[in-house]
Amino acid sequence: MSTFRSAVAAYEKKCIEADVPSETVMCYLVELSQQERYALYMNFENEMPEALQKKFDEGMARILSQEPMGHVLGYSWFYGYKFIVNENVLIPREETEELCAQILARMDRIFTEQDSIECADVGTGSADIAITLCKEEKKVRMHATDISEEALTVARQNAVNNEADIDFMAGDMLKPLIERNIKLDVLACNPPYIPAEEKMEHSVVDYEPHVALFGGDDGLKFYRQVFRDCRQIMKPKSFMAFEMGYDQRERMSVLVQEMLPDTSFEILKDMNGKDRMLFVYFGCSSINDMND
Ligand code: GLN
């Protein structure tokens, strides 16, 4: 038997030894106990109930062997919404929450006059972007594509659980949208953008779907594909929003200028100061002042 304090301290130490962030211990305990952090701290000197201790030990063993917490729990939080996650979808990242916030801000400004905003989330995975935009902006009509049927099963369940009305389509990138002749105000896309040879943590490469991670030799394969095809689906006044790798600013800028010379674009930094988001505008302008 151990107190909350001693159990947490012991696992924090083990995390450091195993190269797992030690904050994971409290995050996991909050989820497992269904208690707020402050309530746990108020109980810190008490003995941890046996059933909780058992679950905590089992889950922490998996976390210490590098399994992502989202897989141990079976869910993950994104923009305040709960998403089922498993080995078939990318676990939603904080950077992608920022992408959603930036998209919502621009929708508000650019489409003030419109009653509805036609949107697509390309490579939707867990449908984190699609559901968030739907829930946060009532004018949005959302389409979402993914090449993986297994991912779409998770995405559909997440849409039901979060009561979001989304038109899901199986297919490669923009293909299903083009086939249905859909015309968009906003395209959102967090494509696989890790260069094929890049070394990554075990918790990512061993557990997350490679189809959601790797973007060809230079990581830009899927951007090229979207830039090549996007004119078939983007309305004259519309924008595209992408997540991108922190070290791709130079190459990305060249690619946009080469492939979409008549658009304007901007690259925004994430909360860690890293280049992370690309916005490309057709027939409308950027709002740089929001990021100064
Ligand atoms: N759209 C999902 C996300 O942003 C999945 C992205 C992907 O699989 N590359 O989390």
Side-chain angles (χ1 to χ4, degrees):
M1 288 297 241
S2 50
T3 62
F4 280 86
R5 180 184 298 284
S6 59
V8 167
Y11 279 124
E12 283 177 345
K13 188 160 171 276
K14 285 188 182 166
C15 275
I16 293 165
E17 287 160 10
D19 212 14
V20 170
S22 56
E23 306 82 67
T24 317
V25 180
M26 275 308 287
C27 292
Y28 182 54
L29 191 55
V30 164
E31 294 299 328
L32 207 57
S33 64
Q34 299 281 299
Q35 288 194 52
E36 299 286 347
R37 198 170 275 256
Y38 73 86
L40 284 172
Y41 283 132
M42 289 185 39
N43 253 322
F44 237 37
E45 305 309 336
N46 296 344
E47 293 230 323
M48 194 181 273
E50 207 172 318
L52 181 61
Q53 176 85 57
K54 185 165 176 285
K55 275 192 178 172
F56 190 44
D57 288 341
E58 284 165 7
M60 280 311 305
R62 292 170 65 184
I63 289 169
L64 285 166
S65 71
Q66 308 282 334
E67 193 169 342
M69 187 171 75
H71 287 186
V72 176
L73 290 167
Y75 64 86
S76 182
W77 294 98
F78 182 86
Y79 224 94
Y81 303 103
K82 194 174 183 176
F83 288 83
I84 297 170
V85 293
N86 61 27
E87 69 283 3
N88 296 316
V89 295
L90 193 78
I91 299 172
R93 306 295 208 263
E94 280 183 3
E95 290 84 345
T96 313
E97 292 182 317
E98 286 190 67
L99 178 70
C100 288
Q102 298 286 7
I103 293 172
L104 289 163
R106 280 157 183 75
M107 275 179 178
D108 242 13
R109 292 272 290 265
I110 296 175
F111 305 114
T112 325
E113 309 293 316
Q114 293 182 204
D115 296 334
S116 75
I117 304 172
E118 208 68 28
C119 263
D121 176 16
V122 172
T124 194
S126 64
D128 51 355
I129 300 174
I131 291 172
T132 300
L133 297 180
C134 253
K135 300 296 286 184
E136 297 292 316
E137 173 54 72
K138 296 293 169 229
K139 289 197 224 172
V140 160
R141 286 159 43 117
M142 183 61 77
H143 311 271
T145 76
D146 206 290
I147 196 164
S148 157
E149 289 286 356
E150 292 83 4
L152 283 175
T153 302
V154 176
R156 287 197 175 94
Q157 191 58 54
N158 281 327
V160 171
N161 294 352
N162 287 293
E163 298 177 343
D165 186 14
I166 296 171
D167 168 29
F168 287 106
M169 291 170 270
D172 192 14
M173 303 303 282
L174 309 189
K175 204 162 167 241
L177 299 162
I178 295 169
E179 282 167 4
R180 286 169 183 71
N181 201 23
I182 288 166
K183 302 291 173 201
L184 298 175
D185 296 301
V186 178
L187 182 151
C189 182
N190 176 17
Y193 58 71
I194 314 286
E197 299 301 323
E198 194 157 304
K199 287 238 175 312
M200 299 187 73
E201 308 99 270
H202 284 295
S203 59
V204 178
V205 265
D206 294 352
Y207 292 97
E208 300 203 70
H210 288 195
V211 65
L213 291 172
F214 296 106
D217 290 344
D218 64 355
L220 297 178
K221 174 179 167 191
F222 294 102
Y223 303 90
R224 284 195 193 88
Q225 211 168 306
V226 175
F227 295 168
R228 183 193 68 203
D229 298 338
C230 61
R231 288 183 197 286
Q232 299 178 60
I233 56 166
M234 298 310 292
K235 290 187 190 172
K237 178 183 164 191
S238 59
F239 71 87
M240 304 194 291
F242 302 89
E243 194 171 304
M244 58 180 262
Y246 70 93
D247 53 358
Q248 290 172 340
R249 174 184 278 271
E250 291 303 315
R251 278 180 302 161
M252 188 66 91
S253 305
V254 171
L255 196 64
V256 180
Q257 277 158 359
E258 257 174 36
M259 295 188 72
L260 300 167
D262 55 336
T263 62
S264 61
F265 74 96
E266 58 179 340
I267 290 174
L268 309 182
K269 292 189 189 304
D270 65 19
M271 64 193 134
N272 297 314
K274 294 187 169 167
D275 292 324
R276 186 65 66 192
M277 292 159 271
L278 166 72
F279 282 78
V280 179
Y281 303 91
F282 297 91
C284 56
S285 62
S286 64
I287 37 175
N288 289 316
D289 50 329
M290 294 184 56
N291 286 288
D292 289 346

